[in-house]
Amino acid sequence: MKVHHLDCCRMHPPAQRLVSGRGSLFERGTMIAHVLAIETREGLVLVDSGIGIHDVREPVKRLGKGFLAASQPELDEAHTAIRQLAALGYKASDVRHIVLTHLDVDHAGGLSDFPEATVHVLEGEHAAAMARTTRNEAERYRPMQWAHGPKWQRHAVAGGERFFGFERVRAIVEPEVLLLPAGGHTRGHAVVAVAEGDRWLVHAGDAYFHHDEVADPPSCPPGLALFQRLMSVDNAARIANQTRLRELRREAGGLVRVFCAHDEEEFSAFGPPPSPHA
Ligand SMILES: [Zn+2]
């Protein structure tokens, strides 16, 4: 089993120092959209999908003015998962499953590039994205991104089985991919754990934004702290889940590798992005 780490949306929000904790207030920062492409016997499994080709072509309609102003993404088709996978020799139909941390605009945009894939998401997240109850949710969830009618597989949280401090829902059996409910950023946000041999890759999505938030002791650059508070639907739950992620790193030590969706340093630590000649 091989796992490719892809950056499927490079963003440059204002005020680098407030976002990354260093550099200038007047330069722009860099955030990435960490997507996993897992090679399996039956094809590819993606974790998250970044932004897609249609987002690049119709950014205002598909991504919304709020997201574009706050994140200032590079709009380049070469960054989309479908183009990066094509460079590795894959077709869109090779992607069999997409497991999503949540349905925010920068995580769900690639869905429409893989219409044949089964899309796994927690039931609560699917319900929140379809209902778009609050102003925040009407802006962050973009129905055009799923207007093609994905093959949804909604997962209920039954309770019982645990993954360290988290409840666990098995999304895919082979390889084992778990959805770990971790609401707060959105109602049905999940952390996704992927078995890699006897270890686990833990994609925390937007449960945190900066690697220092899961360090001991934790800290966060002020701009990112404010942004996360403003975007969260349940701030207490969000903070509690960050605490559980810190505990997971402490308790499971060498068995887990935890990273979030948008931290460039965590992404770079996995090495250079895949190249077709590697
Ligand atoms: Zn995000």
Side-chain angles (χ1 to χ4, degrees), residues 70-123:
S71 307
Q72 305 195 22
E74 290 179 30
L75 296 167
D76 182 348
E77 284 189 20
H79 292 175
T80 61
I82 190 168
R83 291 282 185 258
Q84 294 189 61
L85 292 173
L88 293 170
Y90 287 105
K91 311 184 289 294
S93 59
D94 291 330
V95 174
R96 305 291 300 276
H97 298 276
I98 303 175
V99 183
L100 293 174
T101 59
H102 63 303
L103 280 162
D104 268 354
V105 56
D106 49 327
H107 299 256
L111 294 183
S112 47
D113 294 332
F114 306 103
E116 292 172 49
T118 298
V119 179
H120 301 260
V121 63
L122 285 183
E123 203 166 48

Side-chain angles (χ1 to χ4, degrees), residues 154-204:
R154 304 189 294 264
H155 294 270
V157 183
E161 279 190 277
R162 314 285 293 182
F163 179 87
F164 298 95
F166 291 89
E167 290 181 282
R168 59 191 266 169
V169 180
R170 188 174 279 111
I172 298 175
V173 175
E174 183 66 48
E176 194 168 20
V177 181
L178 309 174
L179 287 161
L180 313 177
H185 178 67
T186 60
R187 293 175 206 246
H189 185 281
V191 166
V192 177
V194 179
E196 198 182 26
D198 53 3
R199 303 185 56 196
W200 293 88
L201 282 173
V202 177
H203 188 314

Side-chain angles (χ1 to χ4, degrees), residues 15 17 49 55 65 103 117 188 199 219 237:
R17 195 192 308 168
S49 73
D55 302 317
K65 284 185 185 150
L103 280 162
R199 303 185 56 196
S219 67

Side-chain angles (χ1 to χ4, degrees), residues 11 31-33 48 67 101-102 104-107 185 205-206 209 227 261-262:
M11 297 168 269
M31 285 165 60
I32 59 110
D48 274 354
F67 171 78
T101 59
H102 63 303
D104 268 354
V105 56
D106 49 327
H107 299 256
H185 178 67
D206 289 1
F209 273 62
F227 177 76
H262 298 306

